């Protein structure tokens, strides 16, 4: 199976600020990040709303677009230069049909995505700005080190000024 997988994936090396997918286009690939970081964001009334980050060993794609083959409503942009491994939806489906044990890998990727969504919902509904930032510090300190503060504020659903006040109090 390992050789069949290697035959189906493509190594992709892209510079900072490139896009893996832009809204309105169908996402036809699932990516594995070997090195670097990306962010997923929406455009809302002229503002970019960051809703997730991806780092080494994460699978990333516009999941809704990838699964349904409908146009994406989100953008995925590289925050750092990246080394990624790409597999097309068709190649992935062939692999899953041929090797059922590979389904476990995809299930794990989907589970991580679902957990990320649920955490975002809970955080947005029930936490103060200070709690959001403290939670981020505890659970994902690498984000603070690698992600610009503007993206972090957007991710937390607060203004950059509020984030600065919270950071100064800690």
């Amino acid at each position: 199976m390992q050789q069949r997988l290697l035959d189906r994936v493509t190594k992709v090396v892209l510079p900072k600020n490139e896009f893996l997918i832009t809204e309105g286009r169908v996402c036809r690939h699932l990516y594995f990040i070997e090195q670097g970081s990306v962010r997923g964001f929406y455009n809302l009334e002229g503002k970019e709303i960051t809703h997730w980050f991806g780092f080494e060993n994460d699978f990333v794609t516009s999941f809704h677009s990838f699964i349904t083959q409908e146009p994406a409503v989100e953008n995925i942009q590289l925050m750092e230069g990246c080394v990624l491994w790409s597999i097309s939806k068709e190649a992935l489906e062939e692999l899953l049909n041929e090797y059922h044990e590979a389904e476990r890998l995809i299930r794990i990727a989907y589970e991580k995505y679902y957990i990320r969504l649920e955490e975002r919902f809970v955080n947005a509904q029930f936490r103060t700005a200070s709690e959001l930032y403290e939670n981020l510090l505890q659970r994902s300190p690498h984000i603070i080190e690698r992600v610009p503060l503007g993206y972090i504020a957007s991710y937390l659903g607060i203004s950059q000024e509020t984030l600065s006040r919270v950071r100064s109090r800690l």
Side-chain angles (χ1 to χ4, degrees), residues 138-149:
Q138 290 172 355
R139 298 188 74 197
S140 305
H142 63 282
I143 289 177
I144 306 302
E145 299 164 6
R146 296 177 67 183
V147 175
L149 289 179

Side-chain angles (χ1 to χ4, degrees), residues 29-93:
H29 293 86
L30 176 67
Y31 300 91
F32 177 80
I33 304 174
E34 179 180 322
Q35 178 185 330
S37 63
V38 302
R39 71 180 180 118
F41 70 94
Y42 297 99
N43 285 307
L44 181 65
E45 299 171 1
K47 280 183 65 176
E48 294 180 355
I49 309 298
T50 299
H51 66 103
W52 59 267
F53 300 110
F55 299 93
E56 288 82 6
N57 301 316
D58 282 337
F59 287 96
V60 297
T61 191
S62 176
F63 279 96
H64 185 270
S65 178
F66 182 73
I67 292 166
T68 65
Q69 291 297 279
E70 295 175 1
V73 295
E74 69 180 318
N75 303 280
I76 301 175
Q77 183 181 33
L78 281 64
M79 295 185 296
E80 301 170 339
C82 287
V83 176
L84 307 131
W85 292 91
S86 170
I87 187 166
S88 71
K89 182 170 177 60
E90 296 78 16
L92 180 60
E93 287 176 356

Side-chain angles (χ1 to χ4, degrees), residues 111-130:
E111 285 173 352
K112 286 179 79 172
Y113 179 74
Y114 175 80
I115 289 167
R116 199 178 334 174
L117 283 177
E118 189 172 294
E119 286 173 349
R120 290 279 295 152
F121 175 77
V122 169
N123 284 340
Q125 298 297 316
F126 305 112
R127 302 210 194 281
T128 66
S130 293

